[in-house]
């Protein structure tokens, strides 16, 4: 028996279990005619459950926060953004106003700070707003493409700069005579230009037709094309991370070998306590044959110490470079590895058409963990660089007058202390 059901009654009956935001306007949900056979109760339940499942699958997950949660999350993310701006801004200002820091070796540090500062200024605020409104993109399709381009380019430039810094540190330690980049500003500037050019090579393809970004249904997501995903993640993360790990392993190995060669670094104190004083006693007791033997022993030891003093600075540089680079690599891997693993796996798990099969809260958490690396970088360099750390303190205390003179006086005082200590020992 066939009955005719009015359209309004049919829609109310079959789609009442779905929320408005979960509905997807697909042709297969609407019958071609409103003439249908009266279904049984079980058939109605199955149909309603099927419609609800389909709507949930094709709908977009939202981040549902309460008012208190929104306030807490907004304050925390805003503080993170402001600290990132302040830290990287201090790095750039310090290198610009302090003559001692205006060296070619710090060009890469300024490039890193500029990339991280761009992330904090041009990317983080829009991500905060998007997260607080439930994950929906509110700024339009055109600005979405620009936003993704800025995000990808700045984050990639930051990661690649860290990679180049690790190579620069390795070559500066292992080839101090044949590696001229630290003294050649033009060569270092070319390295910075290449870093940003490679970052742009990842950013531009979606803007020129290959692997278009996802900008529908209030989404702003980088392209999920399989080929582009493999290319972008490999160039932006996996290759730089591999290079950084190799450089760290080699610097650590060089520092370990150098430490084995300088095991007699504590000999100066031994010379002071036993060599010179023992020689005076020998002079008093044995003025003939013993005197000449003691003098020869101390002369030989002093010659060894003078020769070794030239290598002590290299040894300390190697130890410091290994320690600093180890912390940089560890922080970088901890912050970015989870996000890139998820980004690489998403197209293969969800496919190109379905982009919301993974929990949105997990994606945003890993994204912000990666952004945190932009805050950690200036803190690491300020902690391990005495001049940069001193400049930070002076700038924060508004003591920027005569800052170059104070840093020069502090460096001279430190150099005199080291010289006096060595001269007293020898």
């Amino acid at each position: 028996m066939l009955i005719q059901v009015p359209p309004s009654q049919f829609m109310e009956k079959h789609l009442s279990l779905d929320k408005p935001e979960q509905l997807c306007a697909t042709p297969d949900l609407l019958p071609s005619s409103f003439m249908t056979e009266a279904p049984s109760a079980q058939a109605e339940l199955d149909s309603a459950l099927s419609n609800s499942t389909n709507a949930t699958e094709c709908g977009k997950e939202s981040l549902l926060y309460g008012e208190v949660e929104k306030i807490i999350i907004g304050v925390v993310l805003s503080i993170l953004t402001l600290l990132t701006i302040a830290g990287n801004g201090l790095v750039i200002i310090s290198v610009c106003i302090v003559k001692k820091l205006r060296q070619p070796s710090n060009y890469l540090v300024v490039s890193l700070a500029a990339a991280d500062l761009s992330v904090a200024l041009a990317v983080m605020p829009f991500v905060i707003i998007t997260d607080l409104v439930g994950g929906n993109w509110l700024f339009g399709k055109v600005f979405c493409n620009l936003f993704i381009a800025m995000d990808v380019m700045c984050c990639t430039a930051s990661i690649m700069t860290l990679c180049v810094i690790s190579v620069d540190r390795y070559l500066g330690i292992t080839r101090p005579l044949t590696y001229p980049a630290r003294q050649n500003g033009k060569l270092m500037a070319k390295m910075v230009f290449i870093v940003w050019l490679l970052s742009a090579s990842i950013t531009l393809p979606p803007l020129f037709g290959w692997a278009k970004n996802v900008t529908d249904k209030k989404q702003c997501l980088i392209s999920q094309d399989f080929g582009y995903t493999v290319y972008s993640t490999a160039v932006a993360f996996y290759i730089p991370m591999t290079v950084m790990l190799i450089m760290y392993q080699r610097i650590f190995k060089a520092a370990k070998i150098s430490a084995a060669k300088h095991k007699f670094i504590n000999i100066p104190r031994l010379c002071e306590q036993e060599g010179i004083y023992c020689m005076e006693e020998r002079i008093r007791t044995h003025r003939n044959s013993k005197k000449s033997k003691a003098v020869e022993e101390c002369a030989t030891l002093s010659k060894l110490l003078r020769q070794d003093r030239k290598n002590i600075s290299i040894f300390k540089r190697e130890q410091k470079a290994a320690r600093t680079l180890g912390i940089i690599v560890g922080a970088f891997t901890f912050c970015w590895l989870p996000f890139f693993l998820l980004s690489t796996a998403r197209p293969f798990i969800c496919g190109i058409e379905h982009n919301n099969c993974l929990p949105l809260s997990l994606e945003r958490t890993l994204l912000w963990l990666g952004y945190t690396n932009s805050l950690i970088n200036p803190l690491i360099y300020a902690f391990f660089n005495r001049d940069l750390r001193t400049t930070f303190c002076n700038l924060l205390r508004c003591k920027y007058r005569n800052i170059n003179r104070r840093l020069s006086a502090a460096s001279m005082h430190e150099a005199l202390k080291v010289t006096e200590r060595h001269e007293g020992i020898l």
Side-chain angles (χ1 to χ4, degrees):
M1 177 180 180
L2 299 177
I3 58 174
Q4 185 173 5
V5 182
S8 59
Q9 183 178 351
F10 179 87
M11 296 296 293
E12 180 180 359
K13 184 176 182 180
H14 287 273
L15 301 179
S16 59
L17 295 178
D18 296 286
K19 296 180 180 180
E21 63 269 17
Q22 292 177 332
L23 298 179
C24 295
T26 53
D28 54 341
L29 290 180
L30 299 177
S32 58
S33 172
F34 290 104
M35 297 295 296
T36 180
E37 185 177 359
S40 62
Q42 183 64 33
E44 290 181 5
L45 180 60
D46 294 340
S47 176
L49 292 176
S50 176
N51 291 339
S52 177
T53 303
N54 292 335
T56 303
E57 289 178 353
C58 64
K60 181 180 182 297
E61 181 187 358
S62 297
L63 295 173
L64 301 178
Y65 297 125
E67 295 298 327
V68 177
E69 292 177 334
K70 286 184 179 180
I71 294 174
I72 295 175
I73 293 174
V75 170
V76 172
L77 297 183
S78 298
I79 292 175
L80 176 63
T81 303
L82 293 176
L83 290 177
T84 305
I85 294 173
N88 291 284
L90 283 174
V91 171
I92 297 175
I93 294 173
S94 299
V95 176
C96 290
I97 67 175
V98 176
K99 294 180 180 179
K100 190 176 181 180
L101 295 175
R102 289 201 294 265
Q103 302 174 2
S105 59
N106 286 330
Y107 287 4
L108 291 173
V109 177
V110 174
S111 174
L112 176 65
D116 292 334
L117 181 62
S118 300
V119 172
L121 290 174
V123 178
M124 290 185 181
F126 298 100
V127 179
I128 293 176
I129 296 174
T130 302
D131 289 347
L132 292 180
V133 299
N136 295 323
W137 180 254
L138 305 178
F139 305 100
K141 182 177 180 180
V142 176
F143 187 76
C144 173
N145 290 321
L146 297 177
F147 168 80
I148 292 177
M150 193 69 180
D151 187 9
V152 173
M153 185 173 67
C154 294
C155 291
T156 303
S158 176
I159 294 172
M160 286 188 174
T161 304
L162 286 173
C163 175
V164 177
I165 287 175
S166 66
V167 177
D168 173 70
R169 297 292 188 266
Y170 170 73
L171 295 176
I173 292 297
T174 58
R175 302 176 185 178
L177 300 179
T178 59
Y179 179 61
R182 289 179 172 273
Q183 291 77 31
N184 191 338
K186 292 183 179 180
L187 181 58
M188 193 65 71
K190 290 179 181 178
M191 295 172 64
V192 173
F193 176 75
I194 292 173
V195 165
W196 285 91
L197 186 63
L198 289 175
S199 302
S201 70
I202 302 176
T203 304
L204 295 178
L207 301 178
F208 290 94
W210 178 41
K212 293 183 178 180
N213 297 320
V214 180
T215 58
D216 58 340
K217 299 178 183 178
K218 294 185 178 181
Q219 294 185 86
C220 185
L221 186 65
I222 192 171
S223 174
Q224 299 299 294
D225 181 79
F226 296 113
Y228 177 74
T229 299
V230 173
Y231 163 72
S232 60
T233 55
V235 176
F237 177 75
Y238 293 110
I239 294 177
M241 184 185 68
T242 304
V243 174
M244 292 173 66
L245 291 175
I246 293 175
M247 293 299 102
Y248 171 69
Q249 187 270 338
R250 293 188 176 183
I251 290 179
F252 180 79
K253 185 178 179 180
K256 189 175 180 180
I257 294 174
S258 181
K261 291 181 180 179
H262 293 81
K263 285 185 178 180
F264 56 93
I265 195 171
N266 293 323
I267 288 181
R269 185 175 298 176
L270 183 64
C271 172
E272 181 182 355
Q273 295 177 354
E274 298 183 2
I276 297 176
Y277 297 146
C278 290
M279 184 185 73
E280 292 179 355
E281 294 180 0
R282 291 177 181 179
I283 291 175
R284 294 173 184 174
T285 56
H286 307 280
R287 294 183 177 275
N288 296 325
S289 60
K290 299 293 183 180
K291 177 181 177 181
S292 59
K293 185 177 180 181
V295 171
E296 290 178 0
E297 289 179 356
C298 260
T300 303
L301 186 58
S302 299
K303 187 181 295 184
L304 289 174
L305 291 173
R306 289 192 184 96
Q307 183 179 1
D308 184 63
R309 189 170 62 181
K310 298 178 182 179
N311 298 325
I312 288 177
S313 59
I314 299 177
F315 166 71
K316 290 183 178 180
R317 260 199 338 263
E318 290 172 350
Q319 296 289 334
K320 185 178 180 180
R323 184 170 62 252
T324 305
L325 189 59
I327 294 177
I328 291 174
V329 173
F332 162 75
T333 305
F334 174 78
C335 291
W336 280 116
L337 181 60
F339 172 77
F340 276 95
L341 287 177
L342 185 68
S343 299
T344 307
R346 184 212 297 269
F348 299 95
I349 296 176
C350 305
I352 301 178
E353 299 295 333
H354 304 285
N355 304 309
N356 300 297
C357 66
L358 299 175
L360 186 58
S361 58
L362 175 63
E363 297 179 14
R364 312 306 281 191
T365 301
L366 297 184
L367 177 63
W368 276 105
L369 181 62
Y371 288 157
T372 306
N373 188 242
S374 297
L375 169 63
I376 295 176
N377 289 330
L379 298 180
I380 294 175
Y381 281 102
F383 182 79
F384 285 100
N385 190 316
R386 183 186 57 197
D387 295 330
L388 198 58
R389 184 171 62 251
T390 304
T391 305
F392 277 16
C393 294
N394 290 327
L395 290 176
L396 292 175
R397 296 175 183 175
C398 297
K399 296 181 179 180
Y400 49 86
R401 293 183 179 180
N402 299 324
I403 188 172
N404 289 289
R405 186 181 302 174
R406 286 198 298 270
L407 285 177
S408 300
S411 300
M412 290 180 62
H413 179 68
E414 185 67 23
L416 287 174
K417 286 175 61 178
V418 174
T419 304
E420 290 175 357
R421 183 169 63 250
H422 285 291
E423 289 179 352
I425 290 173
L426 296 176

